[in-house]
Amino acid sequence: MITLYSLKQSRSQRIVWLLEALGVPFEVQSFEREPVTRFAPPIFKTLHPLGKAPVLKDGNLTLAESASIVEYLIERYGNGRFTPETDTTDYYHYVQWLHYAEGSIMPAILQKMMATDESKINYFNSQVSLHLDYVEQHLNSKKWFCGNELTGADIMMSFPCQVAMFMLPNELYPNIARFVEQVENHPAYRQAVERVGELDLHSL
């Protein structure tokens, strides 16, 4: 049995969405953030040395890092779904978006959210604009990040896009806003919400 250790109001939401989309049996143990630090509670240190969410257990395997979890679940349980065919151009674009979510756009967004030094705020704002303009342009001709079908790239990009639309007026980035609406209305995403609740970004 797959067990996902999930932190409420976090990136973990997208892993629950993927598990629902895969249609595999799983258990989710969902935890509140620590009230003062907003970090994951101490139980996560017993699951993985980093003490962060999400953590996936599947048999003898314990896995952290969202992109690694997404790749594992799709390769193990996807039966060809949620990923382009390997050794194709689409596949390598898919890999790029899969890792871009946490490797590029999310760090820029977090720096903007946490910036207090006036001398750096303009730089952080420019970096977020750079990334969002890139994503906005990419989505201009696509339903999902890799075309007309949902893939792991969309699972990974959902959270940074949700955060971006929480921070900025939707009309600035209509394609990203449309993508976020599409994510949040996806049937498997709605099933995930029934399991762990709505993503409330005000509580971050």
Side-chain angles (χ1 to χ4, degrees):
M1 168 70 78
I2 297 169
T3 302
L4 177 69
Y5 297 87
S6 170
L7 185 62
K8 292 181 180 178
Q9 312 308 335
S10 78
R11 298 162 167 86
S12 300
Q13 187 102 359
R14 59 191 168 186
I15 307 301
V16 185
W17 175 27
L18 175 57
L19 285 163
E20 292 287 1
L22 287 166
V24 295
F26 72 99
E27 176 187 3
V28 59
Q29 296 193 23
S30 190
F31 297 87
E32 299 282 354
R33 292 176 178 272
E34 289 289 282
V36 176
T37 65
R38 308 303 295 157
F39 292 160
I43 187 174
F44 280 88
K45 274 284 190 182
T46 70
L47 301 169
H48 190 276
L50 291 176
K52 297 179 181 294
V55 175
L56 184 87
K57 285 197 170 187
D58 188 10
N60 294 324
L61 175 68
T62 299
L63 198 58
E65 294 294 332
S66 295
S68 297
I69 292 171
V70 168
E71 284 195 81
Y72 168 74
L73 288 172
I74 289 173
E75 288 180 15
R76 178 74 174 82
Y77 297 103
N79 295 317
R81 298 172 297 160
F82 308 118
T83 179
E85 290 186 20
T86 57
D87 293 326
T88 64
T89 300
D90 286 344
Y91 176 78
Y92 293 108
H93 288 155
Y94 158 80
V95 171
Q96 173 197 290
W97 288 112
L98 199 67
H99 296 285
Y100 172 85
E102 291 297 326
S104 292
I105 190 171
M106 201 61 212
I109 290 172
L110 287 173
Q111 286 176 325
K112 174 182 170 67
M113 292 173 67
M114 299 173 69
T116 56
D117 186 337
E118 285 290 334
S119 67
K120 295 180 179 177
I121 286 175
N122 287 340
Y123 171 75
F124 293 144
N125 286 341
S126 71
Q127 288 301 296
V128 169
S129 295
L130 174 70
H131 286 291
L132 292 181
D133 288 346
Y134 172 52
V135 173
E136 176 72 12
Q137 182 180 10
H138 177 77
L139 288 173
N140 188 53
S141 59
K142 290 180 171 59
K143 179 180 180 180
W144 297 102
F145 271 86
C146 295
N148 291 323
E149 300 296 329
L150 177 71
T151 70
D154 305 295
I155 303 294
M156 285 301 299
M157 285 298 298
S158 62
F159 186 77
C161 288
Q162 286 171 306
V163 175
M165 292 302 93
F166 170 72
M167 294 167 54
L168 299 165
N170 286 9
E171 58 267 23
L172 290 179
Y173 298 100
N175 293 322
I176 299 176
R178 185 263 307 162
F179 170 76
V180 168
E181 182 179 8
Q182 187 172 278
V183 165
E184 295 179 349
N185 286 316
H186 189 272
Y189 186 92
R190 301 316 308 166
Q191 291 173 325
V193 166
E194 290 179 13
R195 288 238 196 181
V196 296
E198 290 280 4
L199 186 62
D200 178 11
L201 296 173
H202 290 91
S203 65
L204 289 179

